[in-house]
Amino acid sequence: MAFIFSRHPDKNKNPDAEDMFIKITKSYEILSNEEKRANYDRYGQTDDTQPYGGGHYRHDNFYFDESFFNFPFNSKNNRDFADSKYTLHFNQYVNDVVPDSYKRPYLIKITSDWCFSCIHIEPVWKEVVQEMETLGVGIGVVDVGYERRLANHLGAHRTPSILGVINGKVTFFHYAVAKEHLRQFVEDLLPQRLVERVTDRNDLQFLNSWHELNKPHVLLFDQVPAVPLLYKLTAFAYKDYLQFGYVDQGLSETANLLKQFNINTYAPTMLVFKENIDKPADIIQAKGMKKQIIDEFMSNNKFLLVPRLVNQKLFDELCPVKQFHRRRKYCVLLITGDEETFSFGNQAFLSFASTNTKEVVRFAYVYQRLQQPLCDILMQNKDSAPSPPQVVILERRNAAGKVLFKPVTAWNGSEEDKQCLLDELERLQKDPSILNHDAMLPELNNEFASMFVIRWIYASYDYLSEVIDDILHNNWREMMPLLSLIFSALFILFGTVVIQAFSDSSEDKQTKPKAKDGTKAENGSPGTSSTSSRPPKKNFVEVTELTDITYTSNLVKLRPGHMNVVLVLTDASKNILLSKFAKEVYSFTGSLTLHFSFLNIDKHSEWMTTLLEYAQDAMQIDTDEDDGGNHKVDYTGYVLALNGHKKYLCLFKPVYTGEDLDSKSSEDEGGTSGGRSRSSSRDDHPTRKSNRSRSISTLQIHHKLDRLGLWMERLMEGTLPRYYIPAWPGLDKITPNK
C-alpha cells in the first residue's frame, strides 16, 4: 500500500533522507503511544496500515480514498477481531449451538464484506453482546461470504440480519436495531410459562406441587414489577429440574410472604423449597446477583432430598454409573406405593434421608405400580404380585443396566428399620462387597409421558405465533416454503372441487331437453355422445347386486345426473346373462355417470311388479303382450335404466335376433308412437301378435341381450322413452321373499 503525504522541508538533498525521516517519525509516534505500541506488537499494524487507515484503492476505473468513509470494512484479512471470537461454522452450529439452544437462547448476527449497513449497527451490536453474554445468552456471527451454506440453512438471505435460536427453532428480528428492542427480542424468545407469579393467595398451591412435579421450587423476591431477564434465563436453563416463581415485593398481596420468610426488601432474595414448604432448604441474597453465583446455587439444589424415579434420565443423574477415577456412588432406593397406607413409611424414609451427611449416598424412591419391571428384579419377585415396601441398596456398574444390589429390609418406618438401614450403610463404607446380587435393569418408564400432548399444544401455539409474526412483518422470503405448501394444497383442493362440479353439471345437461328440438322435448333431449365414446378405464365391468343393503346408495340416493343400469335375471340364468351383459355394456364403462347392477327376480319379484305398476306406460307394454295378463310375465333379460334423482326409468325388453325383421325390439316400440301404435297393431294383426308371443317364450337365454348395445347408445343419446314414477318402492319391497 502506498502512502500519501506532504513533503517535509529539509535541506538534506539525499533522495533517501526523506524516507528515513518519515520512518523515524512514525517509529517515535508508535513507541511514545501505549495503545499504538500494543497494537503494533499484537498485529504488526500502524495507523496507516490498519483497515480503516488512510489507504487508497483502485478498482478498475473507480478510484477512492477509504478514509473518506471513515469506517472499517470486513475484509478477509482484516476482519473485526471482536466478531471473530463469535464466528460460527456450519458444523459448529449443528453440533454445538442447536443442542445448547435447549438450555439457553442464541443471538446471531448475519453479516458480509462491504456491508455498509452492517457498520451502522455495529456499536449497538457490541453493546448488546456485552450485556447478553454476561446474562448467559449465546452469541454468534455468520459471515455470508465464507459461510453461505450456514446462512441458507438459517434462512438468512440479506445482510445485516439478526436472528434468535431457541429449542432448535430460528426466529428473525424485525425491528429497528436498538438496545431495548434487542433485549425485548431475547426475552420474547423464551417460553411464556417459565416463571409463575406468586402472591399470598397462591403460595401454598405453588409450593405444594413439589410432590406432583417431583421438583424443588425456587422463589425470587425482588422489588421490580417485571421478572428480571437473568431470572428468566436461569429458569429456562433449569426448567427440567426446578419450578420457578417470582414475588413482587412492591405489591400489597405479597406482604404475608415477606413477613413469613423474613425477607430483606433492600436486596433480591432467592429461596429454594424442597419437601418442607415451611422452611427453605437454601437461601441466597445479594444486591448484584451474578450468573455464576446463581448457576452454582441452582446446581446444588437440582433435586429433592428424596426424589421419585420417574424416568431413565433422572435415574442416570441420581445414580450415575461407577467411574474408575471417581469415588463409588450408592443409591438407597425405597420401593413403595402411592396409596395413603404407605404415607407413614414414606415420611419416615424422608426423615432418615434428611439426616444423611454422606456425599456418596443418594436416596430415592419408586412406585411399584408405575415401575413394575424394575421393582420385580430388585425385589426378586417372580409373579409380579404387590409386595410390602422394601429398601434396596444398589450400585450401577455400566450404562447398559448392570447393577450390584442388596435388599436390606422390609420397610414400615419403625425405629428398627431405620437402625437396620444405618448399620448396612456403615458396613457398605467398609466393605462394598456386601452388594452380593447382580442384575440387568430395564429402562424406566417415563411417568410424565402423558404431558407430551400439553407440550405439543404449547409448541404448536408458539409456532403459529411465529408464522403470524413473520406474515405481519413481510418476511416473505423466509415464509416462501410454507406459503408455497399452503397455496399448493389449496389449489389442488379447489381444482378437484371445480372439476367435479363441472363434471356433474355436464352430465346433468345430457338429461335436459334442448329448446331447439321440440319433437324430442317430450321424450327427452339428446345429449352429447362423447361420454359413450370415452375409452373404458378398467378391463372389466363392475356389476353389483341390487339388494336391500345397496338399495339406498345405488338408487334412492343416487347422485344427480347418474343412472343405474340394472339387469333382471334368475338363479338359473345368472351366469349366462351376466357374461352377455358385461360384453354388451363394456364399451360404456368409461362414463362416470353410469353404474351397473343386477336384480334377482327370484328374490325380488314383488319389487319388480310394484315398480312397473307405478310406471303405467311400462306396465301397459308388459300386459299387452301377456294375452290379457292370463299368465305371469317372465322378466328374465329385462334391463332397467333407473335415474334415482329424477325418478324415471327406461326399459329394455329382450328380443330374439333370429326372428324375421317384422319382430320389434322394445326400443323400436317405444321410440315412435308409443301406446297408440301398439294398440292399433294389436287390433289389426292379432295373429302376428300371437305368433310373436309364442316365439318370445322360446327364446334362448344367451340371445336375449343381443340388441342391448344399440339400446345403450340410444340411452346415452337421450332418445329413449322415459317412464316417470311418483316414488321408488319402499325397502320392504326389496327385501328378499321368504
Side-chain angles (χ1 to χ4, degrees), residues 568-630:
V568 182
L569 48 75
T570 61
D571 290 332
S573 60
K574 180 176 180 180
N575 294 334
I576 298 175
L577 286 180
L578 279 177
S579 177
K580 181 69 173 179
F581 180 72
K583 292 179 181 178
E584 294 292 331
V585 302
Y586 174 72
S587 59
F588 300 92
T589 56
S591 173
L592 299 176
T593 59
L594 287 182
H595 309 273
F596 301 97
S597 304
F598 69 89
L599 178 75
N600 193 328
I601 198 65
D602 293 339
K603 301 178 182 178
H604 308 294
S605 59
E606 184 179 357
W607 180 85
M608 185 71 178
T609 303
T610 305
L611 175 67
L612 296 181
E613 286 178 356
Y614 285 169
Q616 297 296 330
D617 293 337
M619 192 62 196
Q620 184 179 356
I621 296 173
D622 298 324
T623 56
D624 286 346
E625 297 189 1
D626 292 338
D627 295 333
N630 292 330

Side-chain angles (χ1 to χ4, degrees), residues 254-543:
T254 62
N256 291 338
L257 279 173
L258 300 179
K259 183 179 180 181
Q260 178 182 355
F261 298 112
N262 194 22
I263 300 300
N264 184 354
T265 58
Y266 296 101
T269 305
M270 199 174 294
L271 308 179
V272 173
F273 294 86
K274 296 186 178 181
E275 286 87 349
N276 187 359
I277 65 172
D278 297 323
K279 182 180 179 181
D282 204 350
I283 182 172
I284 181 175
Q285 188 176 47
K287 277 194 174 182
M289 285 194 183
K290 301 297 182 182
K291 180 180 181 300
Q292 292 77 8
I293 299 176
I294 295 178
D295 285 343
E296 183 180 358
F297 181 73
M298 297 299 170
S299 299
N300 294 334
N301 295 281
K302 287 169 58 176
F303 305 107
L304 297 169
L305 292 176
V306 184
R308 184 173 84 252
L309 297 184
V310 294
N311 52 44
Q312 187 65 34
K313 178 183 177 183
L314 183 59
F315 187 34
D316 293 339
E317 295 194 51
L318 284 174
C319 307
V321 176
K322 177 185 178 297
Q323 302 292 338
F324 291 104
H325 59 284
R326 294 182 181 177
R327 298 178 63 185
R328 294 174 179 268
K329 295 283 187 179
Y330 301 103
C331 272
V332 181
L333 187 63
L334 171 64
I335 301 174
T336 182
D338 55 351
E339 292 82 2
E340 186 65 26
T341 55
F342 299 103
S343 59
F344 177 79
N346 297 344
Q347 188 63 35
F349 187 75
L350 171 62
S351 176
F352 180 87
S354 62
T355 61
N356 174 63
T357 58
K358 300 180 178 65
E359 295 183 359
V360 296
V361 178
R362 287 279 181 85
F363 291 82
Y365 71 99
V366 62
Y367 284 149
Q368 184 177 356
R369 178 178 59 86
L370 300 178
Q371 303 291 346
Q372 191 68 50
L374 172 75
C375 298
D376 288 344
I377 294 177
L378 294 179
M379 300 178 71
Q380 299 176 332
N381 190 358
K382 298 182 179 180
D383 55 1
S384 298
S387 302
Q390 187 169 343
V391 174
V392 177
I393 301 177
L394 63 87
E395 178 190 11
R396 299 185 64 192
R397 304 297 292 184
N398 58 38
K402 183 180 180 180
V403 295
L404 298 178
F405 70 96
K406 178 183 181 181
V408 179
T409 179
W411 184 267
N412 56 23
S414 64
E415 293 299 326
E416 293 79 5
D417 294 341
K418 293 181 181 179
Q419 188 61 43
C420 180
L421 178 57
L422 182 61
D423 293 341
E424 288 295 328
L425 289 176
E426 291 179 355
R427 287 181 57 200
L428 182 65
Q429 291 290 102
K430 301 175 182 179
D431 183 14
S433 63
I434 67 171
L435 303 181
N436 51 6
H437 296 81
D438 64 88
M440 294 293 294
L441 297 183
E443 184 171 343
L444 270 68
N445 300 325
N446 186 3
E447 297 179 16
F448 290 155
S450 58
M451 297 179 64
F452 171 78
V453 177
I454 299 177
R455 294 178 181 175
W456 182 85
I457 293 174
Y458 287 157
S460 301
Y461 173 79
D462 293 339
Y463 180 75
L464 290 176
S465 300
E466 179 188 357
V467 170
I468 294 173
D469 185 65
D470 286 340
I471 293 176
L472 292 178
H473 292 89
N474 298 323
N475 195 9
W476 300 113
R477 191 159 188 175
E478 289 79 9
M479 289 292 297
M480 193 58 66
L482 178 62
L483 293 176
S484 175
L485 177 62
I486 294 175
F487 281 110
S488 298
L490 291 177
F491 177 78
I492 294 173
L493 180 62
F494 179 75
T496 304
V497 173
V498 170
I499 293 173
Q500 186 65 41
F502 275 103
S503 174
D504 292 344
S505 61
S506 63
E507 298 296 344
D508 191 47
K509 287 179 180 178
Q510 294 180 2
T511 64
K512 294 183 179 180
K514 289 184 178 180
K516 65 180 181 179
D517 192 352
T519 60
K520 294 177 181 178
E522 182 179 353
N523 295 330
S525 64
T528 177
S529 60
S530 62
T531 305
S532 63
S533 61
R534 290 178 184 170
K537 294 183 178 180
K538 304 176 181 178
N539 58 359
F540 61 91
V541 180
E542 185 176 353
V543 183

Side-chain angles (χ1 to χ4, degrees), residues 9-26:
D10 198 337
K11 296 181 179 181
N12 191 342
K13 303 301 181 182
N14 190 332
D16 298 331
E18 184 178 359
D19 293 336
M20 183 61 65
F21 176 79
I22 293 174
K23 290 180 179 179
I24 294 173
T25 303
K26 293 295 182 182

Side-chain angles (χ1 to χ4, degrees), residues 188-199:
D188 292 340
L189 289 175
L190 299 170
Q192 301 300 314
R193 293 160 292 274
L194 281 174
V195 180
E196 181 179 349
R197 289 188 173 271
V198 180
T199 63

Side-chain angles (χ1 to χ4, degrees), residues 625-690:
E625 297 189 1
D626 292 338
D627 295 333
N630 292 330
H631 67 276
K632 187 176 180 180
V633 180
D634 180 15
Y635 295 119
T636 305
Y638 279 50
V639 178
L640 306 172
L642 308 176
N643 189 312
H645 181 68
K646 293 192 174 181
K647 296 184 179 64
Y648 70 80
L649 62 91
C650 298
L651 179 65
F652 170 83
K653 295 176 61 179
V655 60
Y656 181 53
T657 56
E659 290 286 314
D660 57 11
L661 296 177
D662 291 337
S663 174
K664 289 185 177 182
S665 66
S666 63
E667 65 272 19
D668 293 331
E669 292 175 351
T672 55
S673 59
R676 289 190 298 273
S677 65
R678 291 190 293 272
S679 299
S680 62
S681 175
R682 183 173 62 253
D683 295 339
D684 297 339
H685 306 285
T687 305
R688 289 181 57 188
K689 174 180 175 295
S690 178

